[in-house]
Amino acid sequence: MIRHETDADHRAVREVHTRAFGEERVPALVEALRTARAPLAPMSFVATLGGRVVGHVLLSASRLDAPRRIVDVMSLSPLGVHPDAQGRGIGTRLIGHALAAADEQGVPLVFLEGSPLYYRTRGFEAASPRGFRSPSLRIPDPAFQVARLAAHEPWMTGTFVYSETFWALDCVGLRDPDA
């Protein structure tokens, strides 16, 4: 079952991301994005099995610096599924639910950084060939992806800009450990 996240789910969502990513930066990002001031309210969904939270996805406000004007868009990050529940299509269902919710709210674009092998079969496409510029040189071009929703218009191209929360927590792109 997929439903909106509630305050009572916060501890379980933290556990999902800690187990899925093996680090504390992603759970900290979720907590910060829940309360960050933004032009669009975050959309946060959980997947449950037998009443237990086993997956989570968060859509948060970002911006597109387009030629005509700044456009409010969303970022899909993070998506996490508890390791015990992976391989069952839970992530796919969470993504589909999140994109449908964003579409229903009139969001024109949803961006993410992630595996093209995984996300390209789930509604996303390479962003650069569609006229979008990455916010960081540390994002490998194949990982920079976009889902164009019903409210998207052809003039909506330009540079994707993460919210300040992503930058403050150093959650943009890949860091070179040897640099």
Side-chain angles (χ1 to χ4, degrees), residues 132-150:
F132 302 104
R133 285 182 296 284
S134 170
S136 172
L137 295 174
R138 291 178 287 107
I139 300 171
D141 197 52
F144 178 49
Q145 299 173 73
V146 66
R148 296 181 288 173
L149 304 178

Side-chain angles (χ1 to χ4, degrees), residues 3-177:
R3 60 173 171 75
H4 283 277
E5 177 192 33
T6 67
D7 290 348
D9 297 321
H10 289 186
R11 179 174 284 154
V13 166
R14 182 176 191 80
E15 175 70 14
V16 164
H17 289 301
T18 299
R19 296 288 306 276
F21 291 97
E23 63 170 277
E24 288 299 314
R25 195 166 37 147
V26 174
L29 176 66
V30 171
E31 290 173 11
L33 287 171
R34 282 185 189 122
T35 60
R37 292 181 59 187
L40 300 173
M43 289 187 256
S44 187
F45 303 101
V46 295
T48 62
L49 281 175
R52 177 179 160 238
V53 172
V54 295
H56 175 254
V57 66
L58 181 65
L59 293 170
S60 63
S62 294
R63 297 254 165 90
L64 180 70
D65 184 7
R68 285 191 188 173
R69 63 177 169 80
I70 300 294
V71 179
D72 291 322
V73 300
M74 298 201 102
S75 171
L76 188 150
S77 180
L79 167 69
V81 176
H82 193 285
D84 295 344
Q86 291 178 1
R88 298 182 189 181
I90 293 168
T92 298
R93 287 188 203 103
L94 281 166
I95 293 166
H97 191 88
L99 290 178
D103 202 29
E104 187 176 298
Q105 294 293 317
V107 174
L109 299 159
V110 176
F111 289 86
L112 64 75
E113 295 176 42
S115 166
L117 295 175
Y118 183 78
Y119 290 101
R120 297 262 167 90
T121 60
R122 290 159 178 87
F124 287 85
E125 60 188 332
S128 296
R130 306 294 179 262
F132 302 104
R133 285 182 296 284
S134 170
S136 172
L137 295 174
R138 291 178 287 107
I139 300 171
D141 197 52
F144 178 49
Q145 299 173 73
V146 66
R148 296 181 288 173
L149 304 178
H152 175 257
E153 297 181 31
W155 64 266
M156 293 178 184
T157 61
T159 303
F160 172 65
V161 181
Y162 277 110
S163 69
E164 174 57 26
T165 304
F166 280 88
W167 298 104
L169 295 174
D170 197 15
C171 290
V172 176
L174 303 173
R175 289 284 177 197
D176 182 354

